[in-house]
Amino acid sequence: MSSSWYSVYAPRPAASVRLYCLPCAGGGATMFRAWADRLPPTVELRAVRLPGRHAWHPEPPFTDCTAAAHALASGLGPELHTPYVLFGHSMGALLAHELILSLDRHELPPPALYVSASWLVEGTPIELLPDPADCDEQFVETLRRFGGVPPEVLSDPEVLDFMLPALRSDFGLCRTYTYRTGATPFSVPVRAMGGVADTVTPVDRMARWRHHTERFLGTRSFPGDHFFLRGQADEIVAALVDDIAAVMTDRAPVRRFTGEI
């Protein structure tokens, strides 16, 4: 099955689980390409394609968490009749969290598992994030210090000009996130992942997720910083496969999407 909302690099129509992966700020679906062939035949990777980049370039990037969650729920809702998992890295984890809340409001099937990588439930302090209100020179310099965007991209004016609108929108979205105190823990199992050298979302603070779910699976730590996903596809996919197997027992039948949001 094809969709404008995601890329499938290794189609597996008979897979019993769909793994939807949402990228970090400035990232795209291709950051998960290396995972596809490492997954077992029972799991199909669907790398989410966000507006404002690559094949979605004509569409404007998301600038608001709630609107983004609504759009994702509308776009992915018809697909959510097979057990699925949401994995998000940094901004992608924020969007996945908001998506779960939106799905719950519209009584759509929840994921079997939510994996939050490099994102804290209370959000990231805005002083640590690049400010989209800065001039290009200052914004790019902050991006360089923050990491995540390859140096060769930051040094290529043509590629950088193409990416800057999405980067500004993405970090604007992250900076406007509002943590909801006193929210009722949701029933979706949560696994947290982080890099041991992450100074943006310290891995030792990821355990706070236990207060926001009825089933916290704990925190997995990996070598690296905020962008620990790079170069560790084997290790991360192996951990994901273990967690998926753990939550796919005693699953109740999922509800099918029956209308529009």
Side-chain angles (χ1 to χ4, degrees), residues 152-165:
E152 59 270 22
V153 171
L154 295 177
S155 60
D156 187 321
E158 185 173 345
V159 175
L160 188 60
D161 283 347
F162 176 80
M163 290 189 64
L164 275 179

Side-chain angles (χ1 to χ4, degrees), residues 60-251:
F62 292 137
T63 57
D64 175 79
C65 295
T66 303
H70 180 89
L72 287 166
S74 297
L76 298 177
E79 312 283 337
L80 304 182
H81 51 79
T82 297
Y84 69 100
V85 171
L86 290 179
F87 176 98
H89 176 234
S90 196
M91 182 192 74
L94 160 59
L95 291 177
H97 178 249
E98 292 294 303
L99 173 57
I100 292 171
L101 298 177
S102 181
L103 292 170
D104 182 64
R105 287 193 295 271
H106 294 95
E107 298 184 341
L108 292 174
L113 171 67
Y114 162 49
V115 182
S116 175
S118 300
W119 187 71
L120 308 173
V121 67
E122 66 266 29
T124 302
I126 62 172
E127 64 269 17
L128 299 180
L129 298 172
D131 188 348
D134 286 341
C135 66
D136 284 355
E137 183 178 355
Q138 181 61 47
F139 185 65
V140 171
E141 179 55 33
T142 309
L143 284 174
R144 198 183 307 276
R145 295 195 303 269
F146 186 77
V149 182
E152 59 270 22
V153 171
L154 295 177
S155 60
D156 187 321
E158 185 173 345
V159 175
L160 188 60
D161 283 347
F162 176 80
M163 290 189 64
L164 275 179
L167 283 162
R168 289 186 181 278
S169 295
D170 287 354
F171 281 108
L173 182 151
C174 294
R175 290 170 68 95
T176 57
Y177 169 73
T178 301
Y179 172 53
R180 299 175 181 85
T181 58
T184 303
F186 48 57
S187 59
V188 176
V190 175
R191 166 69 77 186
M193 291 185 178
V196 295
D198 188 350
T199 58
V200 179
T201 53
V203 70
D204 61 335
R205 292 172 56 189
M206 299 292 286
R208 298 183 187 183
W209 275 106
R210 65 165 45 93
H211 304 299
H212 297 271
T213 175
E214 296 172 4
R215 186 180 176 191
F216 182 56
L217 303 183
T219 303
R220 292 189 186 273
S221 301
F222 295 85
D225 56 15
H226 191 68
F227 301 96
F228 72 92
L229 267 64
R230 291 175 179 163
Q232 300 194 80
D234 288 335
E235 295 81 359
I236 294 170
V237 168
L240 278 171
V241 170
D242 285 347
D243 287 340
I244 291 171
V247 300
M248 287 308 297
T249 57
D250 302 321
R251 287 276 299 162

Side-chain angles (χ1 to χ4, degrees), residues 18-52:
R18 315 298 183 203
L19 172 61
Y20 292 89
C21 295
L22 290 85
C24 60
T30 55
M31 66 181 284
F32 302 107
R33 183 190 294 272
W35 294 13
D37 292 329
R38 289 171 165 83
L39 290 165
T42 53
V43 181
E44 181 182 76
L45 172 71
R46 294 184 171 184
V48 175
R49 298 159 59 182
L50 299 176

